[in-house]
């Protein structure tokens, strides 16, 4: 999750890279310094079998390496947040690991072939904060369904957010996959003065407790927010931005995936 006002403008760029990553790259990842990110706060350990669509992204930029999340929506495609990527995204700088609860052990490392950032992405407002990654080879992770555009969530509906990292704001990251249940918050409430004061657009959604608690944070960016995670799971959100982790009135803000259903479908057809 990015902090409000902390991201930069980025442009669409389609690029190509190699296929599978070597064990040398895995060793390089293990040796990375701690990235300046936090992740699920107030959550609990879960297994990849609970959220088999979850992947971790290792992203190289001018400032070093960072960790983000993503969701498998087709055997060759991952949906993530645009703000996770450098200003000029290159497929060779992004690596994906799937099929593991511990992103430093097990799983399968796969290279990225193409990067497609939404052309309307606006860092200042966090509008259209989504990007598609086409993998160099298909993976056998279970894809998660995309909702219909008109889907309505009832206030308080339980949603699952997941990712790797700190269990408290400012804490160290966790190797173990973490998950938390967060209730859906109507945009009207999320836009009240003590919360986001009108910054939440119709293309976004909010989730979290009014007095704080379980939440996503920076390193969860791009990760999945899922409805019906135990029965007919649907990807309703992508971790986008917020203020701190689990703070009073400061809900997590997510890309409303259904709003972009047609864009996602069109990009997949084009390639």
């Amino acid at each position: 999750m990015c902090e409000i006002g902390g991201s930069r403008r980025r442009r669409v760029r389609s690029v190509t890279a190699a296929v599978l990553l070597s064990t040398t790259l895995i060793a390089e990842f293990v040796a990375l310094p701690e990235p300046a990110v936090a992740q699920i706060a107030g959550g609990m350990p879960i297994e990849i079998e609970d959220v088999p669509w979850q992947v971790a992204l290792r992203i190289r930029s001018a400032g070093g390496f960072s960790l983000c999340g993503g969701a498998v929506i087709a055997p060759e495609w991952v949906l993530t947040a645009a703000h996770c990527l450098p200003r000029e995204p290159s497929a060779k700088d992004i690596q994906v690991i799937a099929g593991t609860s511990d992103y430093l052990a097990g799983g399968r490392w796969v290279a990225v072939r193409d990067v497609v950032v939404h052309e309307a992405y606006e860092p200042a407002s966090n509008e259209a904060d989504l990007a598609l990654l086409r993998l160099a080879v298909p993976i056998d992770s279970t894809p998660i369904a995309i909702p219909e555009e008109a889907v309505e969530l009832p206030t308080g509906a339980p949603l699952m957010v997941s990712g790797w990292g700190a269990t408290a704001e400012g804490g160290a990251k966790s190797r173990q996959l973490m998950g938390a249940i967060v209730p859906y918050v109507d945009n009207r409430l999320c836009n009240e003065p003590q919360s986001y004061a009108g910054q939440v657009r119709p293309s976004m959604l909010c989730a979290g407790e009014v007095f704080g608690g379980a939440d996503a944070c920076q390193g969860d960016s791009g990760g999945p927010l899922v409805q019906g995670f135990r029965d007919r799971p649907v990807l309703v959100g992508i971790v986008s931005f917020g203020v701190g982790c689990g703070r009073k009135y400061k809900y997590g803000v997510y890309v409303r995936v259904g709003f972009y259903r047609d864009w996602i479908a069109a990009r997949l057809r084009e390639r």
Side-chain angles (χ1 to χ4, degrees):
M1 180 184 292
C2 72
E3 292 289 342
I4 295 175
S7 51
R8 299 173 295 170
R9 183 181 299 275
R10 302 169 181 95
R11 296 192 294 272
V12 180
R13 191 175 182 182
S14 182
V15 285
T16 304
V19 185
L20 288 176
L21 304 178
S22 67
T23 54
T24 302
L25 287 175
I26 296 175
E28 179 188 9
F29 185 72
V30 172
L32 287 178
E34 292 287 326
V37 295
Q39 297 191 356
I40 295 292
M44 64 186 71
I46 60 173
E47 299 300 326
I48 194 64
E49 290 78 12
D50 298 318
V51 287
W53 46 82
Q54 174 88 47
V55 295
L57 310 179
R58 176 187 185 268
I59 302 164
R60 179 171 55 193
S61 65
F65 292 90
S66 61
L67 182 71
C68 272
V72 177
I73 60 170
E76 291 182 82
W77 290 95
V78 168
L79 184 63
T80 188
H83 80 261
C84 282
L85 307 177
R87 183 185 296 272
E88 297 289 344
S90 173
K92 64 182 176 59
D93 293 328
I94 307 169
Q95 300 153 7
V96 174
I97 185 168
T100 183
S101 305
D102 179 346
Y103 71 90
L104 295 181
R108 182 184 184 188
W109 289 88
V110 182
V112 171
R113 175 175 161 186
D114 293 306
V115 181
V116 186
V117 177
H118 197 290
E119 58 275 8
Y121 172 51
E122 177 51 62
S125 65
N126 298 294
E127 185 77 21
D129 184 16
L130 71 162
L132 284 163
L133 307 178
R134 186 178 185 183
L135 304 179
V137 294
I139 56 175
D140 57 8
S141 297
T142 303
I144 188 166
I146 299 296
E148 298 295 335
E149 182 177 352
V151 67
E152 293 291 336
L153 294 172
T155 297
L159 308 173
M160 166 74 87
V161 62
S162 53
W164 289 268
T167 56
E169 184 176 343
K173 65 179 182 178
S174 169
R175 289 176 52 165
Q176 173 65 39
L177 181 61
M178 304 291 289
I181 306 301
V182 288
Y184 172 71
V185 177
D186 183 83
N187 280 24
R188 179 184 59 82
L189 294 175
C190 202
N191 272 322
E192 289 186 346
Q194 67 270 32
S195 296
Y196 291 101
Q199 296 180 64
V200 178
R201 310 284 182 84
S203 61
M204 306 170 184
L205 67 85
C206 298
E209 299 285 354
V210 63
F211 294 114
D215 193 12
C217 281
Q218 288 175 323
D220 280 315
S221 290
L225 181 72
V226 176
Q227 182 187 32
F229 46 91
R230 295 297 185 192
D231 181 32
R232 298 182 181 178
V234 176
L235 182 67
V236 295
I238 290 293
V239 179
S240 183
F241 71 93
V243 175
C245 303
R247 296 186 187 182
K248 183 178 180 179
Y249 300 131
K250 301 301 183 183
Y251 312 102
V253 186
Y254 302 78
V255 176
R256 191 181 290 267
V257 174
F259 189 91
Y260 296 101
R261 179 184 175 90
D262 291 345
W263 181 86
I264 294 168
R267 300 295 84 74
L268 268 60
R269 286 195 301 270
E270 290 172 359
R271 289 165 169 78

